Coordinates of all heavy atoms in Angstrom, one line a residue:
V1 N -6.2 86.9 -44.1 CA -6.2 88.1 -45.0 C -7.8 88.4 -45.3 O -8.2 89.6 -45.3 CB -5.6 87.9 -46.4 CG1 -5.8 89.0 -47.3 CG2 -4.1 87.9 -46.1
E2 N -8.6 87.4 -45.5 CA -10.0 87.6 -45.9 C -10.7 88.2 -44.7 O -11.4 89.1 -44.8 CB -10.6 86.3 -46.3 CG -12.0 86.4 -46.8 CD -12.2 87.3 -48.0 OE1 -11.2 87.4 -48.7 OE2 -13.3 87.8 -48.3
A3 N -10.4 87.8 -43.4 CA -11.1 88.4 -42.3 C -10.7 89.9 -42.1 O -11.5 90.7 -41.8 CB -10.6 87.5 -41.0
K4 N -9.4 90.1 -42.3 CA -8.9 91.5 -42.2 C -9.7 92.4 -43.3 O -10.1 93.5 -43.1 CB -7.5 91.6 -42.4 CG -6.7 91.1 -41.2 CD -5.2 91.1 -41.5 CE -4.5 90.5 -40.2 NZ -3.0 90.6 -40.4
G5 N -9.8 91.8 -44.4 CA -10.4 92.6 -45.6 C -11.8 92.9 -45.3 O -12.4 93.9 -45.5
K6 N -12.5 91.8 -44.7 CA -14.0 92.1 -44.4 C -14.1 93.0 -43.3 O -15.0 93.8 -43.3 CB -14.5 90.7 -44.0 CG -14.9 89.8 -45.0 CD -15.5 88.5 -44.6 CE -15.8 87.6 -45.8 NZ -16.4 86.3 -45.3
L7 N -13.2 93.0 -42.3 CA -13.2 94.0 -41.2 C -13.1 95.5 -41.8 O -13.9 96.3 -41.4 CB -12.1 93.7 -40.2 CG -12.0 94.8 -39.1 CD1 -13.4 94.8 -38.2 CD2 -10.9 94.4 -38.1
I8 N -12.1 95.6 -42.6 CA -12.0 97.0 -43.2 C -13.3 97.4 -44.0 O -13.7 98.5 -43.8 CB -10.8 97.0 -44.2 CG1 -9.5 96.9 -43.4 CG2 -10.7 98.3 -45.0 CD1 -8.2 96.6 -44.3
E9 N -13.8 96.4 -44.8 CA -15.0 96.7 -45.6 C -16.2 97.1 -44.6 O -16.9 98.1 -44.9 CB -15.3 95.6 -46.3 CG -16.3 95.8 -47.5 CD -16.4 94.6 -48.5 OE1 -15.5 93.7 -48.4 OE2 -17.2 94.7 -49.4
Q10 N -16.3 96.5 -43.5 CA -17.4 96.8 -42.6 C -17.2 98.2 -41.9 O -18.1 98.9 -41.7 CB -17.4 95.7 -41.4 CG -17.9 94.4 -41.9 CD -17.7 93.3 -40.8 OE1 -17.2 93.5 -39.8 NE2 -18.3 92.1 -41.1
L11 N -15.9 98.5 -41.6 CA -15.6 99.7 -40.8 C -15.7 100.9 -41.6 O -15.8 102.0 -41.1 CB -14.2 99.6 -40.1 CG -14.1 98.5 -39.0 CD1 -12.7 98.5 -38.6 CD2 -15.0 98.9 -37.9
I12 N -15.5 100.8 -43.0 CA -15.5 102.0 -43.8 C -16.8 102.2 -44.5 O -16.8 103.1 -45.5 CB -14.3 102.1 -44.8 CG1 -14.3 100.9 -45.7 CG2 -13.0 102.2 -44.0 CD1 -13.3 101.0 -46.9
Q13 N -17.8 101.6 -44.1 CA -19.2 101.9 -44.8 C -19.6 103.3 -44.6 O -19.5 103.8 -43.4 CB -20.2 100.9 -44.2 CG -20.0 99.5 -44.6 CD -20.1 99.2 -46.0 OE1 -21.0 99.7 -46.7 NE2 -19.2 98.4 -46.6
H14 N -20.0 103.9 -45.6 CA -20.5 105.3 -45.5 C -21.4 105.7 -46.7 O -21.3 105.1 -47.8 CB -19.3 106.2 -45.6 CG -19.6 107.6 -45.2 ND1 -20.2 108.5 -45.9 CD2 -19.4 108.3 -44.0 CE1 -20.3 109.8 -45.3 NE2 -19.9 109.5 -44.1
K15 N -22.4 106.5 -46.4 CA -23.4 106.8 -47.5 C -22.8 107.5 -48.7 O -23.4 107.4 -49.8 CB -24.5 107.6 -46.9 CG -24.1 109.0 -46.4 CD -25.2 109.7 -45.7 CE -24.6 111.0 -45.2 NZ -25.5 111.6 -44.3
K16 N -21.6 108.2 -48.6 CA -21.0 108.8 -49.7 C -20.3 107.8 -50.6 O -19.9 108.2 -51.8 CB -20.1 109.9 -49.2 CG -20.7 111.1 -48.6 CD -19.6 112.1 -48.2 CE -20.3 113.3 -47.5 NZ -19.2 114.3 -47.1
I17 N -20.1 106.6 -50.2 CA -19.3 105.6 -51.0 C -20.3 105.1 -52.0 O -21.3 104.6 -51.7 CB -18.7 104.5 -50.2 CG1 -17.6 105.2 -49.2 CG2 -18.1 103.5 -51.0 CD1 -17.1 104.1 -48.2
K18 N -19.9 105.1 -53.3 CA -20.7 104.5 -54.3 C -20.5 103.1 -54.4 O -21.4 102.3 -54.7 CB -20.4 105.2 -55.7 CG -20.8 106.7 -55.7 CD -20.6 107.2 -57.1 CE -21.6 106.6 -58.1 NZ -21.7 107.1 -59.4
E19 N -19.2 102.6 -54.3 CA -19.0 101.2 -54.4 C -17.6 100.9 -53.7 O -16.7 101.7 -53.8 CB -18.9 100.8 -55.8 CG -18.7 99.3 -56.0 CD -18.7 98.8 -57.5 OE1 -18.6 99.7 -58.4 OE2 -18.6 97.7 -57.7
I20 N -17.5 99.7 -53.1 CA -16.2 99.2 -52.6 C -15.9 97.9 -53.4 O -16.7 97.0 -53.3 CB -16.3 98.9 -51.1 CG1 -16.6 100.2 -50.3 CG2 -15.0 98.3 -50.7 CD1 -16.8 100.0 -48.9
R21 N -14.7 97.9 -54.0 CA -14.3 96.8 -54.7 C -13.1 96.2 -54.0 O -12.2 97.1 -53.6 CB -14.0 97.0 -56.1 CG -15.4 97.4 -56.9 CD -15.0 97.9 -58.3 NE -14.5 99.3 -58.3 CZ -13.4 99.8 -58.8 NH1 -12.7 99.0 -59.5 NH2 -13.1 101.0 -58.8
R22 N -13.0 94.9 -53.8 CA -11.8 94.4 -53.0 C -11.5 93.0 -53.5 O -12.3 92.2 -53.8 CB -12.3 94.4 -51.6 CG -11.6 93.5 -50.7 CD -12.1 93.6 -49.3 NE -13.1 92.7 -48.8 CZ -12.8 91.4 -48.5 NH1 -11.5 90.9 -48.6 NH2 -13.7 90.6 -48.2
I23 N -10.2 92.7 -53.4 CA -9.6 91.4 -53.5 C -8.6 91.3 -52.4 O -7.6 92.0 -52.3 CB -9.0 91.1 -54.8 CG1 -9.8 91.1 -56.0 CG2 -8.2 89.8 -54.9 CD1 -9.3 91.0 -57.4
G24 N -8.9 90.5 -51.4 CA -8.0 90.4 -50.2 C -7.9 91.7 -49.6 O -8.9 92.2 -49.1
L25 N -6.8 92.3 -49.4 CA -6.6 93.6 -48.7 C -6.3 94.7 -49.8 O -5.9 95.8 -49.4 CB -5.4 93.5 -47.7 CG -5.6 92.7 -46.5 CD1 -4.4 92.8 -45.7 CD2 -6.8 93.3 -45.7
L26 N -6.6 94.5 -51.0 CA -6.5 95.5 -52.0 C -7.9 96.1 -52.3 O -8.8 95.4 -52.8 CB -5.9 94.9 -53.4 CG -4.5 94.3 -53.3 CD1 -4.2 93.6 -54.6 CD2 -3.5 95.3 -52.8
F27 N -8.1 97.4 -52.0 CA -9.4 98.0 -52.1 C -9.4 99.1 -53.1 O -8.4 99.8 -53.3 CB -9.7 98.6 -50.7 CG -10.1 97.7 -49.7 CD1 -9.1 97.0 -48.9 CD2 -11.5 97.5 -49.4 CE1 -9.6 96.3 -47.9 CE2 -11.8 96.7 -48.4 CZ -10.9 96.0 -47.7
A28 N -10.5 99.2 -53.8 CA -10.8 100.4 -54.7 C -12.2 101.0 -54.1 O -13.2 100.2 -54.0 CB -10.9 100.1 -56.0
I29 N -12.1 102.2 -53.7 CA -13.3 102.9 -53.1 C -13.7 104.0 -54.0 O -13.0 104.9 -54.3 CB -13.1 103.2 -51.7 CG1 -12.6 102.1 -50.8 CG2 -14.3 104.0 -51.1 CD1 -11.9 102.4 -49.5
D30 N -15.0 103.8 -54.6 CA -15.5 104.7 -55.5 C -16.4 105.8 -54.9 O -17.3 105.6 -54.0 CB -16.4 104.0 -56.6 CG -15.5 103.0 -57.3 OD1 -14.3 103.1 -57.4 OD2 -16.2 102.1 -57.9
F31 N -16.3 107.0 -55.5 CA -17.1 108.2 -55.1 C -17.6 108.9 -56.2 O -17.3 108.6 -57.3 CB -16.2 109.2 -54.2 CG -15.8 108.6 -52.8 CD1 -14.7 107.9 -52.8 CD2 -16.6 108.7 -51.7 CE1 -14.4 107.3 -51.5 CE2 -16.3 108.2 -50.5 CZ -15.1 107.5 -50.4
E32 N -18.5 110.0 -55.9 CA -19.1 110.7 -57.0 C -18.2 111.6 -57.8 O -18.4 111.7 -58.9 CB -20.2 111.5 -56.4 CG -21.2 112.2 -57.2 CD -22.1 111.1 -58.0 OE1 -22.5 110.2 -57.4 OE2 -22.4 111.3 -59.2
T33 N -17.3 112.2 -57.1 CA -16.4 113.2 -57.8 C -14.9 113.0 -57.5 O -14.5 112.4 -56.4 CB -16.7 114.7 -57.5 OG1 -16.4 114.9 -56.1 CG2 -18.2 114.9 -57.7
A34 N -14.0 113.4 -58.4 CA -12.6 113.4 -58.2 C -12.2 114.4 -57.0 O -11.3 114.1 -56.3 CB -11.9 113.9 -59.4
E35 N -12.9 115.4 -56.8 CA -12.7 116.4 -55.8 C -12.8 115.8 -54.3 O -12.1 116.0 -53.5 CB -13.5 117.7 -55.9 CG -13.2 118.5 -57.1 CD -13.8 117.9 -58.4 OE1 -14.8 117.2 -58.4 OE2 -13.3 118.3 -59.4
T36 N -13.9 114.9 -54.3 CA -14.2 114.1 -53.1 C -13.0 113.2 -52.8 O -12.5 113.3 -51.6 CB -15.4 113.4 -53.2 OG1 -16.6 114.2 -53.4 CG2 -15.7 112.6 -51.9
V37 N -12.5 112.6 -53.8 CA -11.4 111.6 -53.6 C -10.1 112.4 -53.1 O -9.4 112.0 -52.2 CB -11.2 110.8 -54.8 CG1 -9.8 110.0 -54.8 CG2 -12.3 109.9 -55.1
N38 N -9.9 113.5 -53.9 CA -8.7 114.3 -53.5 C -8.8 114.8 -52.1 O -7.8 114.7 -51.3 CB -8.7 115.5 -54.4 CG -7.4 116.3 -54.3 OD1 -6.3 115.8 -54.3 ND2 -7.5 117.7 -54.2
T39 N -10.0 115.3 -51.5 CA -10.1 115.7 -50.2 C -9.8 114.5 -49.2 O -9.1 114.7 -48.2 CB -11.5 116.3 -50.0 OG1 -11.7 117.4 -50.9 CG2 -11.7 116.8 -48.5
I40 N -10.4 113.4 -49.5 CA -10.2 112.2 -48.6 C -8.7 111.8 -48.6 O -8.2 111.6 -47.5 CB -11.1 111.1 -49.1 CG1 -12.5 111.4 -49.0 CG2 -10.7 109.8 -48.4 CD1 -13.5 110.4 -49.7
V41 N -8.1 111.7 -49.7 CA -6.7 111.2 -49.8 C -5.8 112.1 -49.0 O -4.9 111.8 -48.2 CB -6.2 111.0 -51.3 CG1 -4.7 110.8 -51.3 CG2 -7.0 109.8 -51.8
N42 N -6.0 113.5 -49.2 CA -5.2 114.5 -48.5 C -5.4 114.5 -47.0 O -4.5 114.6 -46.3 CB -5.4 115.9 -49.1 CG -4.7 116.0 -50.4 OD1 -3.6 115.5 -50.7 ND2 -5.3 116.7 -51.4
Y43 N -6.6 114.4 -46.6 CA -7.0 114.4 -45.1 C -6.3 113.2 -44.5 O -5.7 113.3 -43.5 CB -8.5 114.5 -45.0 CG -8.9 114.4 -43.5 CD1 -9.2 115.6 -42.8 CD2 -9.1 113.2 -42.8 CE1 -9.6 115.6 -41.5 CE2 -9.5 113.1 -41.5 CZ -9.6 114.4 -40.9 OH -10.1 114.3 -39.5
A44 N -6.5 112.1 -45.1 CA -6.0 110.7 -44.6 C -4.5 110.9 -44.5 O -3.8 110.5 -43.5 CB -6.4 109.6 -45.4
K45 N -3.8 111.4 -45.5 CA -2.3 111.5 -45.5 C -1.9 112.5 -44.4 O -0.8 112.1 -43.7 CB -1.8 112.1 -46.9 CG -0.3 112.2 -47.0 CD 0.1 112.6 -48.3 CE -0.3 114.0 -48.6 NZ 0.2 114.5 -49.9
E46 N -2.5 113.6 -44.1 CA -2.3 114.4 -43.0 C -2.4 113.8 -41.7 O -1.7 114.0 -40.7 CB -3.2 115.7 -43.0 CG -2.9 116.6 -44.2 CD -3.9 117.7 -44.3 OE1 -4.8 117.9 -43.3 OE2 -3.9 118.4 -45.3
K47 N -3.2 112.7 -41.6 CA -3.5 112.0 -40.4 C -2.7 110.7 -40.3 O -2.8 109.9 -39.3 CB -5.0 111.7 -40.1 CG -5.8 112.9 -40.1 CD -5.6 113.8 -38.9 CE -6.5 114.9 -38.9 NZ -6.2 115.9 -37.8
G48 N -1.8 110.4 -41.2 CA -0.9 109.4 -41.1 C -1.4 108.1 -41.9 O -0.8 107.0 -41.7
V49 N -2.5 108.2 -42.6 CA -3.0 107.0 -43.3 C -2.7 107.2 -44.8 O -3.2 108.2 -45.5 CB -4.5 106.7 -43.1 CG1 -4.9 105.6 -43.9 CG2 -4.7 106.4 -41.6
I50 N -2.0 106.4 -45.4 CA -1.6 106.6 -46.9 C -2.7 105.9 -47.7 O -2.9 104.6 -47.6 CB -0.2 106.0 -47.2 CG1 0.8 106.7 -46.4 CG2 0.1 106.1 -48.7 CD1 2.2 106.2 -46.5
C51 N -3.3 106.6 -48.6 CA -4.3 106.1 -49.6 C -3.7 106.7 -51.0 O -3.0 107.6 -51.0 CB -5.7 106.7 -49.5 SG -6.4 106.4 -47.8
Y52 N -4.1 106.0 -52.0 CA -3.6 106.4 -53.3 C -4.7 106.7 -54.3 O -5.7 106.1 -54.2 CB -2.7 105.3 -53.9 CG -1.5 104.9 -53.1 CD1 -1.6 103.8 -52.3 CD2 -0.4 105.7 -53.1 CE1 -0.5 103.5 -51.5 CE2 0.7 105.4 -52.4 CZ 0.6 104.2 -51.6 OH 1.7 103.9 -50.9
W53 N -4.4 107.8 -55.2 CA -5.3 108.0 -56.3 C -5.1 106.9 -57.3 O -4.1 106.4 -57.5 CB -5.0 109.3 -56.9 CG -5.3 110.5 -56.0 CD1 -6.4 111.2 -55.9 CD2 -4.3 111.2 -55.2 NE1 -6.2 112.3 -55.0 CE2 -4.9 112.3 -54.6 CE3 -2.9 110.9 -54.9 CZ2 -4.2 113.1 -53.7 CZ3 -2.2 111.8 -54.0 CH2 -2.9 112.8 -53.4
F54 N -6.2 106.7 -58.1 CA -6.0 106.0 -59.3 C -5.9 106.9 -60.5 O -6.7 107.7 -60.7 CB -7.3 105.1 -59.6 CG -7.3 103.8 -58.8 CD1 -8.3 103.7 -57.8 CD2 -6.6 102.7 -59.3 CE1 -8.2 102.4 -57.0 CE2 -6.7 101.5 -58.6 CZ -7.5 101.4 -57.5
L55 N -4.8 106.8 -61.2 CA -4.7 107.7 -62.3 C -5.6 107.4 -63.4 O -6.1 108.3 -64.1 CB -3.2 107.5 -62.9 CG -2.1 108.0 -62.0 CD1 -0.8 107.7 -62.6 CD2 -2.2 109.5 -61.6
S56 N -6.0 106.2 -63.5 CA -7.0 105.8 -64.7 C -8.4 105.9 -64.3 O -9.3 105.9 -65.2 CB -6.7 104.4 -65.1 OG -6.9 103.5 -64.0
H57 N -8.7 106.2 -63.0 CA -10.1 106.4 -62.5 C -10.1 107.4 -61.4 O -10.0 107.0 -60.2 CB -10.6 105.0 -62.1 CG -12.2 105.0 -61.9 ND1 -12.8 105.5 -60.8 CD2 -13.1 104.6 -62.8 CE1 -14.1 105.4 -61.0 NE2 -14.4 104.9 -62.2
P58 N -10.3 108.7 -61.7 CA -10.2 109.8 -60.8 C -11.2 109.8 -59.7 O -11.1 110.5 -58.7 CB -10.2 111.0 -61.6 CG -10.9 110.6 -62.9 CD -10.6 109.2 -63.1
Y59 N -12.2 109.0 -59.8 CA -13.3 108.9 -58.8 C -13.1 107.9 -57.8 O -14.0 107.6 -57.0 CB -14.7 108.7 -59.6 CG -15.0 109.7 -60.6 CD1 -15.0 109.3 -61.9 CD2 -15.1 111.0 -60.3 CE1 -15.2 110.3 -62.9 CE2 -15.4 112.0 -61.2 CZ -15.5 111.7 -62.5 OH -15.6 112.5 -63.5
S60 N -12.0 107.2 -57.8 CA -11.7 106.2 -56.8 C -10.3 106.4 -56.1 O -9.4 107.1 -56.6 CB -11.6 104.8 -57.5 OG -12.7 104.5 -58.2
F61 N -10.2 105.8 -54.9 CA -8.9 105.8 -54.3 C -8.7 104.3 -53.8 O -9.6 103.6 -53.8 CB -8.7 106.7 -53.2 CG -9.4 106.5 -51.9 CD1 -8.8 105.7 -50.9 CD2 -10.6 107.0 -51.7 CE1 -9.5 105.5 -49.7 CE2 -11.3 106.8 -50.5 CZ -10.7 106.0 -49.5
R62 N -7.4 104.0 -53.6 CA -7.1 102.6 -53.2 C -6.5 102.6 -51.8 O -5.8 103.5 -51.4 CB -6.2 101.9 -54.2 CG -4.9 102.5 -54.4 CD -4.1 101.8 -55.4 NE -2.9 102.5 -55.7 CZ -1.9 102.1 -56.4 NH1 -2.1 101.0 -57.0 NH2 -0.9 102.8 -56.7
I63 N -6.8 101.5 -51.2 CA -6.2 101.1 -49.9 C -5.4 99.8 -50.2 O -6.0 98.8 -50.6 CB -7.1 101.0 -48.8 CG1 -8.0 102.2 -48.7 CG2 -6.4 100.7 -47.4 CD1 -9.1 102.1 -47.7
A64 N -4.1 99.7 -49.8 CA -3.4 98.4 -49.9 C -2.5 98.3 -48.7 O -1.3 98.4 -48.8 CB -2.6 98.5 -51.2
P65 N -3.1 97.9 -47.5 CA -2.3 97.7 -46.4 C -1.5 96.5 -46.4 O -1.7 95.6 -47.2 CB -3.4 97.6 -45.2 CG -4.6 97.0 -45.9 CD -4.5 97.7 -47.3
P66 N -0.4 96.5 -45.6 CA 0.4 95.2 -45.6 C -0.4 94.0 -45.0 O -1.3 94.2 -44.2 CB 1.6 95.6 -44.7 CG 1.0 96.7 -43.8 CD 0.1 97.4 -44.7
L67 N 0.0 92.8 -45.4 CA -0.7 91.6 -44.8 C -0.5 91.5 -43.4 O -1.4 90.8 -42.8 CB -0.1 90.4 -45.6 CG -0.3 90.3 -47.1 CD1 0.3 89.1 -47.7 CD2 -1.8 90.4 -47.4
T68 N 0.6 92.1 -42.8 CA 0.8 91.9 -41.4 C 0.0 93.0 -40.5 O 0.3 93.1 -39.3 CB 2.3 92.1 -41.1 OG1 2.8 93.3 -41.7 CG2 3.0 90.9 -41.8
I69 N -0.8 93.8 -41.1 CA -1.5 94.8 -40.4 C -2.3 94.2 -39.2 O -2.9 93.1 -39.4 CB -2.4 95.6 -41.3 CG1 -2.9 96.9 -40.5 CG2 -3.5 94.8 -41.9 CD1 -3.6 97.9 -41.5
T70 N -2.3 94.9 -38.1 CA -3.0 94.3 -37.0 C -4.5 94.8 -36.9 O -4.8 95.8 -37.6 CB -2.4 94.7 -35.7 OG1 -2.5 96.1 -35.5 CG2 -1.0 94.2 -35.6
E71 N -5.4 94.2 -36.2 CA -6.7 94.6 -36.0 C -6.8 96.1 -35.5 O -7.6 96.8 -35.9 CB -7.5 93.7 -35.2 CG -9.0 94.1 -35.1 CD -9.9 93.0 -34.4 OE1 -9.6 91.9 -34.4 OE2 -10.9 93.5 -33.8
E72 N -5.9 96.3 -34.5 CA -5.8 97.6 -33.9 C -5.5 98.7 -35.0 O -6.1 99.7 -35.0 CB -4.9 97.7 -32.7 CG -4.8 99.0 -32.1 CD -3.8 99.0 -30.9 OE1 -3.2 98.0 -30.5 OE2 -3.4 100.1 -30.5
E73 N -4.5 98.4 -35.8 CA -4.1 99.3 -36.8 C -5.2 99.5 -37.9 O -5.5 100.6 -38.4 CB -2.8 98.8 -37.5 CG -1.6 98.8 -36.7 CD -0.4 98.1 -37.2 OE1 -0.6 97.1 -38.0 OE2 0.7 98.5 -36.9
I74 N -5.9 98.5 -38.2 CA -7.0 98.5 -39.1 C -8.1 99.5 -38.5 O -8.6 100.4 -39.2 CB -7.7 97.1 -39.4 CG1 -6.8 96.3 -40.3 CG2 -9.1 97.2 -40.1 CD1 -7.2 94.8 -40.4
R75 N -8.4 99.3 -37.3 CA -9.5 100.1 -36.7 C -9.1 101.6 -36.7 O -9.9 102.5 -36.9 CB -9.8 99.6 -35.2 CG -10.6 98.3 -35.3 CD -11.0 97.8 -34.0 NE -11.6 96.6 -34.0 CZ -12.9 96.3 -34.4 NH1 -13.6 97.4 -34.8 NH2 -13.4 95.1 -34.5
K76 N -7.8 101.8 -36.3 CA -7.3 103.2 -36.3 C -7.4 103.8 -37.7 O -7.8 105.0 -37.9 CB -5.9 103.2 -35.8 CG -5.7 103.1 -34.3 CD -4.3 103.2 -33.8 CE -4.2 102.9 -32.3 NZ -2.8 103.0 -31.9
A77 N -6.9 103.1 -38.7 CA -6.9 103.6 -40.1 C -8.3 103.8 -40.6 O -8.5 104.9 -41.3 CB -6.1 102.6 -41.0
C78 N -9.2 102.9 -40.3 CA -10.6 103.1 -40.8 C -11.2 104.3 -40.1 O -12.1 104.9 -40.8 CB -11.3 101.8 -40.6 SG -10.8 100.5 -41.7
T79 N -10.9 104.6 -38.9 CA -11.5 105.7 -38.2 C -11.0 107.0 -38.9 O -11.8 107.9 -39.1 CB -11.0 105.8 -36.7 OG1 -11.5 104.6 -36.1 CG2 -11.5 107.0 -36.0
V80 N -9.7 107.0 -39.3 CA -9.2 108.2 -40.0 C -9.9 108.3 -41.5 O -10.3 109.4 -41.9 CB -7.7 108.1 -40.3 CG1 -7.2 109.1 -41.3 CG2 -7.0 108.2 -38.9
I81 N -10.0 107.2 -42.1 CA -10.7 107.2 -43.5 C -12.1 107.7 -43.4 O -12.6 108.5 -44.2 CB -10.6 105.8 -44.2 CG1 -9.1 105.5 -44.5 CG2 -11.5 105.8 -45.4 CD1 -8.8 104.2 -44.9
V82 N -12.9 107.2 -42.4 CA -14.3 107.6 -42.3 C -14.4 109.1 -41.9 O -15.2 109.8 -42.5 CB -15.0 106.7 -41.2 CG1 -16.3 107.3 -40.8 CG2 -15.2 105.3 -41.7
A83 N -13.4 109.5 -41.1 CA -13.4 111.0 -40.8 C -13.1 111.8 -42.0 O -13.6 112.9 -42.3 CB -12.3 111.3 -39.7
A84 N -12.2 111.3 -42.8 CA -11.9 111.9 -44.1 C -13.1 112.0 -45.1 O -13.3 113.1 -45.8 CB -10.8 111.2 -44.8
I85 N -13.8 110.9 -45.0 CA -15.0 110.9 -45.9 C -16.0 111.9 -45.4 O -16.6 112.6 -46.2 CB -15.6 109.5 -46.0 CG1 -14.7 108.5 -46.6 CG2 -17.1 109.6 -46.6 CD1 -15.1 107.1 -46.5
E86 N -16.2 112.0 -44.2 CA -17.1 113.1 -43.5 C -16.6 114.5 -43.9 O -17.5 115.4 -44.1 CB -17.1 112.9 -42.0 CG -17.8 111.7 -41.5 CD -19.4 111.9 -41.8 OE1 -19.9 113.0 -41.7 OE2 -19.9 110.8 -42.0
Q87 N -15.3 114.7 -44.0 CA -14.8 116.0 -44.3 C -15.0 116.4 -45.8 O -15.0 117.6 -46.1 CB -13.2 116.1 -44.0 CG -12.9 116.0 -42.6 CD -13.3 117.2 -41.8 OE1 -13.3 118.3 -42.2 NE2 -13.9 116.8 -40.5
A88 N -15.1 115.4 -46.6 CA -15.2 115.6 -48.1 C -16.6 116.1 -48.5 O -17.6 115.9 -47.9 CB -14.9 114.2 -48.8

């Protein structure tokens, strides 16, 4: 789990991200505005990657993949998430 979490953390690095918080495969990714988060979450959803808003912190979204996620699936999902960040 730790290796998979580190891989995700490495693959989603982007200058628009204010902070990445993680425990295992549970991620909170912080941005400047709620609008940015909304754009990212919607774009990712359209491309088949489910991200969630935080109701208590509108400037963040979370990623919580299953423990059985493969490296190939991680790489595909992270490609979508980075593309979503670029669109935001």
Side-chain angles (χ1 to χ4, degrees):
V1 170
E2 187 61 23
K4 290 176 182 181
K6 285 182 180 180
L7 177 60
I8 293 170
E9 201 167 347
Q10 291 170 355
L11 293 174
I12 61 172
Q13 292 296 317
H14 195 280
K15 63 184 178 199
K16 290 183 181 179
I17 296 174
K18 292 185 72 173
E19 183 178 8
I20 298 174
R21 293 174 281 128
R22 151 179 104 77
I23 296 175
L25 289 179
L26 301 176
F27 286 82
I29 302 168
D30 300 341
F31 291 88
E32 191 68 37
T33 67
E35 291 79 22
T36 300
V37 170
N38 188 47
T39 301
I40 293 166
V41 169
N42 286 325
Y43 180 94
K45 183 174 67 172
E46 289 172 9
K47 301 296 181 184
V49 176
I50 299 173
C51 303
Y52 299 100
W53 296 270
F54 277 105
L55 294 176
S56 61
H57 195 275
Y59 304 112
S60 301
F61 73 90
R62 64 181 168 172
I63 304 170
L67 299 177
T68 57
I69 191 168
T70 66
E71 184 176 328
E72 181 182 349
E73 291 169 329
I74 288 171
R75 291 185 183 282
K76 286 180 182 178
C78 288
T79 298
V80 170
I81 292 168
V82 169
I85 294 168
E86 287 292 328
Q87 295 293 319

